[in-house]
Amino acid sequence: MDRFTRWTLFAVAVTVAVAIWSAVRAAPMSPQPSDDSPAAIARAWMAALADGRAEDAWELLAPDAQSREAREAFLRRHPAIVQAGPGAPRFRVDDVSITDNEARVAVTRSYGASSDFPFWRTTVASDRVTIRLRLVDGRWRVTSAPELP
């Protein structure tokens, strides 16, 4: 084996080792909002309704919002139908504005599957909704929010 072949094999081995190391190492975590932030509560609300966990969504409601409707009626309105797969709704928090003890969280909901075929791109329907929250006993609670379609 000549010197060029050895250096080529060494370069390939180093490249493979670096590729394996970069794939295995933990990706740096982006800072997520704390569990009690308005964005986290809005995301939890949307996820609970999308996953068919109406009980969890009920617990995130403010007491005045809970008093507007009976718990059983709320649970009946939000059946436990979970839409999984590529057509499941996805949520993105776009904007959070906090004023004293109230917050407004703008969320973009996307529906449908998206795919990148070489010649065309599938269009995904989306809309922007606002979730209103209030600080109740030191915790953010949903006062009014859109429902999932």
Side-chain angles (χ1 to χ4, degrees), residues 45-107:
W45 168 267
M46 298 296 279
L49 291 181
D51 294 344
R53 296 179 287 119
E55 298 86 9
D56 294 344
W58 175 262
E59 296 302 322
L60 294 173
L61 283 173
D64 59 334
Q66 288 177 343
S67 67
R68 283 185 240 141
E69 182 177 22
R71 185 175 192 276
E72 293 76 25
F74 179 84
L75 297 177
R76 202 172 27 252
R77 256 187 332 119
H78 299 286
I81 298 172
V82 180
Q83 183 181 13
R90 295 171 301 283
F91 312 104
R92 182 183 73 230
V93 174
D94 291 331
D95 185 40
V96 178
S97 62
I98 301 173
T99 309
D100 296 328
N101 64 345
E102 294 189 359
R104 294 172 61 120
V105 179
V107 177

Side-chain angles (χ1 to χ4, degrees), residues 1 6 13 15 47 108 112 147:
M1 201 182 318
R6 276 186 251 146
T15 304
T108 299
E147 298 175 12

Side-chain angles (χ1 to χ4, degrees), residues 3-148:
R3 200 159 77 183
F4 176 74
T5 305
R6 276 186 251 146
W7 278 109
T8 302
L9 289 174
F10 175 75
V12 168
V14 168
T15 304
V16 168
V18 167
I20 291 172
W21 174 77
S22 66
V24 172
R25 72 181 177 114
M29 297 294 292
S30 61
Q32 295 291 327
S34 63
D35 289 337
D36 59 350
S37 71
I41 298 300
R43 191 176 294 114
W45 168 267
M46 298 296 279
L49 291 181
D51 294 344
R53 296 179 287 119
E55 298 86 9
D56 294 344
W58 175 262
E59 296 302 322
L60 294 173
L61 283 173
D64 59 334
Q66 288 177 343
S67 67
R68 283 185 240 141
E69 182 177 22
R71 185 175 192 276
E72 293 76 25
F74 179 84
L75 297 177
R76 202 172 27 252
R77 256 187 332 119
H78 299 286
I81 298 172
V82 180
Q83 183 181 13
R90 295 171 301 283
F91 312 104
R92 182 183 73 230
V93 174
D94 291 331
D95 185 40
V96 178
S97 62
I98 301 173
T99 309
D100 296 328
N101 64 345
E102 294 189 359
R104 294 172 61 120
V105 179
V107 177
T108 299
R109 302 186 291 193
S110 301
Y111 310 96
S114 66
S115 63
D116 290 329
F117 192 71
F119 304 114
W120 66 82
R121 180 167 172 82
T122 306
T123 305
V124 177
S126 66
D127 61 345
R128 189 171 175 159
V129 295
T130 301
I131 299 175
R132 295 182 181 163
L133 299 101
R134 181 175 299 128
L135 200 56
V136 178
D137 296 329
R139 300 186 72 182
W140 289 102
R141 292 293 173 232
V142 175
T143 56
S144 69
E147 298 175 12
L148 293 179

